[in-house]
Amino acid sequence: MEIKAVKLYEGGFMTQDFAFGGSEDKANLDSNKTYPSSLQNYLIDTGKEVILVDTGIPAEVPDSKPKEGQKIYPGHRVEDYLSALNSLGYKKEQVTKILLTHKHPDHSGELRSFPNAKIYLSSAEADALNLNGENIVRVEFKDGAYHNFDSSEKITDGVYLIPAPGHTKGNSIVIVEKDGIFYMIHGDVTYTDAALLEEKLSVVFEDKDAAKVTLEKVREFIKNNPTVYISTHTPEGIVNLESTKIMRL
């Protein structure tokens, strides 16, 4: 089992009032304080199949420079999604499954490029994206509790999709078990690791109460299990993955 980062953007930033502003009064936050930002999704190579976790921004979205007052800037484009996948040594035809954490276009942008892959996602996100067809798997989370999470769906040995609502109503996280360690690829539960450490929500959520509960459950899981916390919007996600850094709370 291997997990690899599909590197898309680097050299960006996010402001503290963006990263923490869902939990904290913005008057108490410093809009000039920034945290590094990037954009990457992830790939799971089980040795038998290639599974993607999210599919990046649509290729036609132009690269851009930061604007004055911008709260989050992903950085400059390294590669579009398919090129980044090829750089890892994979062709799109090898992909058998896609686990979609949520509907936002920086996660779902290139679903169209994998018409033969089965796409696993919550019903809420499938409805939001109007996804239907034989390759769309509306996950029912039928496999019971997973540690302190109430429900789960086993995708294959060592790979689980778990509901984590709040950021979007149908947001999910992916947990991969490998050599006694849990690799948590989350659908923007936080945008920077500092928010996880300080138990803060970003300003991006559809259900704030649900987002708080999800963050609490994620933190409880990390406290009780050796976990590598793998994010989409901060280069810390790549560092954590490549160094097998266990998150300490």
Side-chain angles (χ1 to χ4, degrees):
M1 184 92 71
E2 291 185 272
I3 306 169
K4 302 180 182 182
V6 185
K7 300 174 184 178
L8 306 170
Y9 287 75
E10 64 183 13
F13 65 85
M14 69 185 81
T15 62
Q16 188 181 63
D17 57 340
F18 172 88
F20 291 7
S23 295
E24 191 78 32
D25 185 341
K26 290 184 181 181
N28 298 326
L29 300 173
D30 184 357
S31 62
N32 294 314
K33 181 175 175 57
T34 62
Y35 302 91
S37 183
S38 58
L39 179 64
Q40 60 276 337
N41 294 147
Y42 297 93
L43 175 152
I44 305 165
D45 187 338
T46 70
K48 296 180 180 179
E49 58 182 337
V50 177
I51 302 172
L52 304 180
V53 181
D54 297 334
T55 62
I57 288 176
E60 65 271 17
V61 173
D63 203 355
S64 63
K65 295 183 178 180
K67 300 175 183 177
E68 185 176 355
Q70 192 165 346
K71 298 298 183 183
I72 184 168
Y73 171 62
H76 63 272
R77 175 176 280 166
V78 179
E79 291 183 292
D80 63 59
Y81 190 87
L82 290 181
S83 297
L85 191 64
N86 291 340
S87 292
L88 288 175
Y90 298 93
K91 298 179 180 179
K92 64 180 183 179
E93 292 80 12
Q94 294 176 262
V95 175
T96 56
K97 297 183 176 77
I98 298 171
L99 312 182
L100 189 70
T101 62
H102 64 287
K103 64 189 177 184
H104 291 157
D106 52 339
H107 295 256
S108 63
E110 286 297 331
L111 288 176
R112 62 192 177 182
S113 293
F114 303 92
N116 297 321
K118 288 190 177 297
I119 301 171
Y120 292 74
L121 73 170
S122 67
S123 290
E125 303 304 275
D127 288 343
L129 291 169
N130 194 28
L131 291 178
N132 296 285
E134 292 183 357
N135 68 318
I136 304 302
V137 181
R138 290 170 172 256
V139 177
E140 298 177 358
F141 302 105
K142 64 183 183 302
D143 292 326
Y146 182 86
H147 294 261
N148 64 302
F149 294 101
D150 296 336
S151 57
S152 66
E153 183 90 4
K154 182 178 179 180
I155 303 301
T156 190
D157 288 345
V159 180
Y160 297 84
L161 192 66
I162 295 167
H167 178 65
T168 64
K169 292 180 180 178
N171 188 68
S172 301
I173 61 177
V174 176
I175 295 181
V176 181
E177 300 174 354
K178 179 185 176 185
D179 300 329
I181 295 173
F182 300 85
Y183 294 78
M184 181 182 286
I185 308 171
H186 61 85
D188 299 351
V189 170
T190 62
Y191 278 75
T192 182
D193 286 6
L196 175 76
L197 294 169
E198 298 188 35
E199 200 169 355
K200 304 293 185 185
L201 297 176
S202 82
V203 298
V204 185
F205 52 81
E206 291 184 350
D207 185 330
K208 187 173 183 177
D209 290 338
K212 286 181 177 179
V213 171
T214 289
L215 181 56
E216 290 168 0
K217 285 182 173 292
V218 164
R219 283 174 53 86
E220 181 183 349
F221 182 90
I222 291 170
K223 287 176 181 177
N224 293 322
N225 302 281
T227 303
V228 178
Y229 191 67
I230 306 179
S231 300
T232 298
H233 292 285
T234 170
E236 293 168 308
I238 298 172
V239 172
N240 293 348
L241 173 61
E242 293 181 349
S243 63
T244 318
K245 180 182 177 182
I246 303 301
M247 179 60 68
R248 307 293 183 188
L249 298 181

